[in-house]
Amino acid sequence: MANRFRGEAAVRVAGENLTLRPSFAALVAAEAELGPLFALVERAAEGRLSLAELVGLFWHCRHGWPGGVSREMLGEAVAAGGLAAAAPVLKVLLGQILQGR
């Protein structure tokens, strides 16, 4: 279960709420794939964050997920739920990137 006091969020995949934790290691991995985090935050603020980038950030921030959940499953879940459902989760992660803990 996601702990907001730790900066965690949850995303629903395959009928389960799965935890996203923006740890240092997770953010470094996301940055290696997606580019500088500050630029990612700027793109999000301007409405230019792609679905692939959103899923990539979520994927790198996964914490304690079952082994059978793939990145493709995450992407399908985000697409099925719509961007409106993903926005609050993204807001939590971006807030942690900007403010830290």
Side-chain angles (χ1 to χ4, degrees), residues 1-13 16-23 57-59 61-65 74 85-96 101:
M1 187 161 257
N3 181 342
R4 291 219 178 236
F5 293 111
R6 230 186 267 168
E8 296 174 346
V11 63
R12 192 152 184 84
V13 180
E16 293 186 60
N17 285 327
L18 302 176
T19 301
L20 300 172
R21 179 184 290 172
S23 66
L57 178 63
F58 285 10
W59 181 252
C61 290
R62 69 194 187 283
H63 177 74
W65 286 24
L74 171 61
V89 177
L90 179 63
K91 182 179 178 181
V92 169
L93 296 180
L94 294 179
Q96 285 302 115
R101 295 181 220 181

Side-chain angles (χ1 to χ4, degrees), residues 5-96:
F5 293 111
R6 230 186 267 168
E8 296 174 346
V11 63
R12 192 152 184 84
V13 180
E16 293 186 60
N17 285 327
L18 302 176
T19 301
L20 300 172
R21 179 184 290 172
S23 66
F24 176 74
L27 295 177
V28 167
E31 191 170 53
E33 177 185 339
L34 304 171
L37 294 177
F38 191 75
L40 183 86
V41 171
E42 286 180 329
R43 287 193 302 279
E46 295 167 356
R48 296 184 305 112
L49 190 67
S50 72
L51 181 59
E53 290 173 316
L54 178 117
V55 169
L57 178 63
F58 285 10
W59 181 252
H60 289 293
C61 290
R62 69 194 187 283
H63 177 74
W65 286 24
V69 177
S70 69
R71 187 168 178 162
E72 183 177 348
M73 289 171 70
L74 171 61
E76 289 296 330
V78 169
L83 293 178
V89 177
L90 179 63
K91 182 179 178 181
V92 169
L93 296 180
L94 294 179
Q96 285 302 115

